[in-house]
């Protein structure tokens, strides 16, 4: 197992920021998750994980920062490799019809790719879920094909519909709720990514993968109804 | 029950917020001014994190449907029970059909209405705090929120404490260097010591400041942000994140306010001045 050179910084009175080399890649993500897995203490209020960092928020101000860091360094040494045996690959239906994919036309112009080529490129990778952030249930996905990278819109939309599937720069994602947003919208998923009243409010977690597949309007409506009735079970490949 | 007769500008139920749900992307939310909210709960002998009603900029009006012990803390908007002016930081017993209303602003932004036993709305992810995408965001006219049956507590029935004026008036905002502070030039660090004023864009998610500082830093790879994180945006504008902020962000984090400073800042609004006191 590769030991990265981590840096530990105080982050206010009661948080410690742990940073890996600042780059986005799978190996670093798996090491971040491996460390997170062994971080357990009554003293912690929460742990915020991102691409190449962990932030431990403590319940109370940290009295001895250096001593706390020594403890964390030992914990890091004693971690075990992240085993992605309980990581799943989720199959997520998306309707790429122009009714939903309101920016497809523009992307097609910019990239000189046909709409169906864009859909083909968007549905081919297994995207790695790096972490959740921005909105409850919003997945930060890695693995978008370079050919369909698309700069964010200069003026964000005030209202992006829930379920919108969008591209922002080299990132792609699904808006889990109605929100303002500057990404280019290419379709809509009928799947609900966040249910605060469920025991598992979001079925996807960091380290999982997501594969989009194209559905037509009829299938979209059928799945949407299942979701509304509470009968929809997200599909996955182990 | 407490019935909302007027919802005011931004009136919402708050408690300590949602802690432990960052991995789902759930904002912490909770009392903006933890300091003032905890005074009300303490005087009523409630546990510290008991849910209260947070009222921004007064204007709201409530009718009590049962007798109840209440306590108002935080901003002073000349509160009245029926026609009678009442003091802040003081426990009052209200009767059925009493109406609580607000008038002229004296100081501060957010007033807390604490009741004995706390507001009994539904808990979602272990909190009653109002957050977009989680539960109802604001209280609306005609809404009714449940409260517990009044219990007597004689020895403390007229409990009160003096208002700490500095909390509302002082411009000093205590903070520590943020994770990207050391990437700043000496000139930029010096500029952070100037006086800043709060822009119109200030709410429970964050306060944007008017005065810009020169920005030579690029964005960072998306990483954690916290309530009280001061971000330096590409245009040079500073944003102080508040309780409803996202869990991650991509702008350099140049300062981090103390918990108490977040409470203090939440009593300030458009055009108010602040000075960062960097420890």
């Amino acid at each position: 197992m590769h030991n990265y050179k981590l840096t530990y910084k105080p982050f206010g009175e009661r948080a410690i920021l742990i940073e890996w080399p600042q780059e986005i890649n799978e190996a670093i993500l798996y090491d971040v998750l491996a460390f997170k897995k062994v971080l357990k203490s009554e003293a912690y209020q929460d742990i915020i994980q991102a691409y190449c960092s962990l932030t431990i928020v403590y319940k109370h101000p940290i009295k001895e920062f250096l001593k706390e860091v020594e403890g964390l360094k030992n914990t890091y040494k004693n971690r075990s490799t992240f085993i992605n045996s309980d990581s799943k690959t989720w199959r997520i239906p998306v309707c790429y019809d122009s009714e939903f994919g309101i920016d497809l036309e523009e992307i097609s112009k910019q990239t000189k790719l046909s709409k169906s080529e864009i859909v083909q490129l968007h549905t081919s990778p297994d995207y790695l879920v790096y972490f959740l952030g921005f909105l409850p249930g919003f997945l930060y996905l890695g693995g978008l094909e370079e050919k369909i990278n698309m700069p964010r819109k200069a003026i964000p939309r005030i209202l992006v519909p829930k379920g919108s599937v969008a591209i922002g720069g080299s990132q792609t994602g699904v808006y889990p709720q109605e929100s303002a947003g500057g990404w280019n919208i290419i379709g809509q998923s009928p799947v609900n990514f966040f249910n605060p009243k469920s025991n598992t409010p979001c079925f996807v977690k960091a380290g999982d993968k997501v594969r989009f597949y194209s559905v037509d309007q009829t299938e979209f409506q059928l799945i949407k109804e299942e979701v509304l009735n509470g009968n929809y079970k997200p599909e996955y490949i182990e | 029950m407490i019935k909302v007769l007027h919802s005011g500008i931004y009136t919402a139920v708050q408690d300590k917020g949602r802690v432990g749900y960052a991995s789902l992307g759930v904002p912490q939310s909770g009392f903006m001014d933890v300091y003032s909210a905890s005074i009300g709960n303490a005087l009523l002998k409630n546990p510290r994190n008991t849910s209260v009603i947070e009222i921004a900029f007064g204007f709201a009006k409530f009718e009590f449907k049962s007798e109840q012990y209440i306590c108002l803390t935080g901003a002073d908007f000349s509160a009245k029970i029926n026609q009678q002016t009442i003091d802040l930081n003081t426990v009052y017993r209200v009767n059925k059909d009493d109406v609580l209303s607000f008038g002229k602003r004296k100081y501060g932004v957010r007033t807390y209405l604490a009741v004995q036993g706390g507001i009994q709305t539904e808990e979602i992810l272990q909190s009653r705090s109002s957050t977009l995408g989680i539960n109802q965001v604001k209280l609306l006219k005609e809404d009714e929120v449940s409260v517990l049956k009044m219990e007597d507590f004689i020895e403390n029935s007229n409990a009160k404490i003096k208002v700490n004026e500095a909390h509302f008036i002082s411009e000093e905002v205590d903070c520590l260097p943020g994770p990207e502070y050391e990437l700043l030039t000496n000139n930029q660090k010096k500029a952070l010591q100037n006086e800043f004023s709060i822009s119109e864009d200030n709410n429970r998610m964050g306060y944007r400041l008017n005065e810009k500082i020169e920005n030579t830093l690029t964005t960072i790879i998306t990483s954690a942000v916290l309530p009280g994180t001061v971000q330096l945006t590409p245009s040079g504008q500073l944003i102080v994140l508040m309780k409803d902020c996202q869990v991650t962000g991509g702008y350099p984090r140049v300062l981090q306010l103390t918990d108490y400073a977040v409470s203090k800042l939440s009593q300030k609004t458009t055009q108010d001045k602040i000075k960062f006191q960097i420890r």
Side-chain angles (χ1 to χ4, degrees), chain A residues 9 11 13-14 46 53 55 134 137, chain B residues 20 22 24 179 223-224 256 259:
Chain A
K9 293 181 189 169
F11 191 173
E13 296 164 293
R14 53 182 182 95
D46 210 344
S53 67
T55 300
F134 171 46
Chain B
L24 299 171
S223 180
Q256 177 63 41
D259 287 345

Side-chain angles (χ1 to χ4, degrees), chain B residues 77-97:
Chain B
F77 278 84
S78 316
K80 284 197 289 193
I81 293 172
N82 304 326
Q83 296 312 312
Q84 184 70 48
T85 304
I86 60 165
D87 291 333
L88 295 170
N89 292 6
T90 306
V91 172
Y92 287 92
R93 182 180 170 150
V94 293
N95 295 314
K96 185 175 179 298
D97 300 329

Side-chain angles (χ1 to χ4, degrees), chain A residues 2-236:
Chain A
H2 179 66
N3 281 323
Y4 288 91
K5 187 162 170 27
L6 307 187
T7 58
Y8 296 79
K9 293 181 189 169
F11 191 173
E13 296 164 293
R14 53 182 182 95
I16 296 176
L17 171 66
I18 308 169
E19 289 182 316
W20 276 255
Q22 292 298 291
E23 45 192 283
I24 300 174
N25 67 54
E26 288 195 27
I28 288 180
L29 173 71
Y30 290 135
D31 198 53
V32 171
L33 292 174
F35 193 3
K36 188 183 176 202
K37 207 168 175 178
V38 291
L39 284 172
K40 285 203 172 65
S41 163
E42 272 301 306
Y44 304 160
Q45 174 180 299
D46 210 344
I47 299 174
I48 307 174
Q49 178 243 319
Y51 287 110
C52 33
S53 67
L54 283 176
T55 300
I56 307 176
V57 183
Y58 289 71
K59 288 177 185 160
H60 302 289
I62 299 159
K63 288 206 179 76
E64 292 177 84
F65 175 75
L66 293 176
K67 200 174 149 199
E68 197 57 42
V69 168
E70 277 317 302
L72 291 172
K73 283 181 175 168
N74 279 326
T75 311
Y76 180 64
K77 272 186 218 145
N78 296 324
R79 79 199 183 288
S80 15
T81 314
F82 179 78
I83 301 173
N84 50 0
S85 61
D86 66 331
S87 298
K88 297 185 171 78
T89 300
W90 300 94
R91 293 187 72 237
I92 304 296
V94 178
C95 180
Y96 293 94
D97 274 16
S98 42
E99 185 194 332
F100 298 128
I102 48 179
D103 293 322
L104 268 179
E105 192 75 53
E106 183 59 30
I107 301 176
S108 176
K109 257 190 230 161
Q110 301 272 334
T111 58
K112 301 193 170 64
L113 295 164
S114 70
K115 285 189 194 173
S116 62
E117 283 170 320
I118 296 168
V119 172
Q120 162 67 37
L121 286 167
H122 194 254
T123 50
S124 52
D126 283 348
Y127 298 99
L128 179 60
V129 179
Y130 278 89
F131 61 99
L132 280 71
F134 171 46
L135 295 167
F138 181 87
L139 316 175
Y140 279 84
L141 301 174
L144 183 69
E145 290 278 356
E146 218 168 298
K147 283 182 198 160
I148 51 171
N149 286 9
M150 189 47 55
R152 285 160 216 216
K153 297 189 131 354
I155 302 162
R157 284 193 178 91
I158 291 170
L159 216 158
V160 174
K162 173 177 174 167
S164 292
V165 177
I167 293 173
S170 59
Q171 296 181 293
T172 186
V174 185
Y175 285 86
Q177 68 187 51
E178 212 175 81
S179 150
W183 290 18
N184 306 276
I185 303 169
I186 59 168
Q188 195 173 119
S189 175
V191 175
N192 186 16
F193 281 88
F194 192 73
N195 178 3
K197 294 190 180 177
S198 159
N199 287 332
T200 44
C202 183
F203 55 93
V204 190
K205 59 185 185 310
D208 283 357
K209 288 188 172 171
V210 163
R211 188 186 300 172
F212 295 112
Y213 68 97
S214 175
V215 296
D216 61 22
Q217 289 262 12
T218 319
E219 288 171 272
F220 176 90
Q221 289 305 339
L222 283 173
I223 300 170
K224 184 126 198 164
E225 265 167 51
E226 281 183 16
V227 170
L228 289 173
N229 297 335
N231 297 327
Y232 178 77
K233 291 267 174 303
E235 289 174 51
Y236 62 88

Side-chain angles (χ1 to χ4, degrees), chain B residues 116-181:
Chain B
Q116 190 187 37
I119 304 294
Q120 304 295 310
T121 48
E122 187 188 3
E123 277 199 321
I124 299 180
L125 303 176
Q126 297 181 303
S127 165
R128 296 185 166 97
S129 278
S130 310
T131 312
L132 191 66
I134 310 273
N135 53 7
Q136 181 180 342
V137 177
K138 298 185 205 179
L139 288 176
L140 304 171
K141 192 176 171 171
E142 302 294 322
D143 277 351
E144 293 191 328
V145 293
S146 317
V147 291
L148 299 178
K149 196 171 177 299
M150 187 180 78
E151 279 175 45
D152 261 319
F153 63 138
I154 294 134
E155 91 273 25
N156 212 19
S157 294
N158 294 308
K160 68 182 296 172
I161 66 162
K162 200 170 167 288
V163 171
N164 169 12
E165 282 178 11
H167 181 72
F168 301 93
I169 295 162
S170 148
E171 293 180 2
E172 291 176 5
V173 173
D174 275 345
C175 53
L176 291 102
E180 279 73 54
Y181 181 79

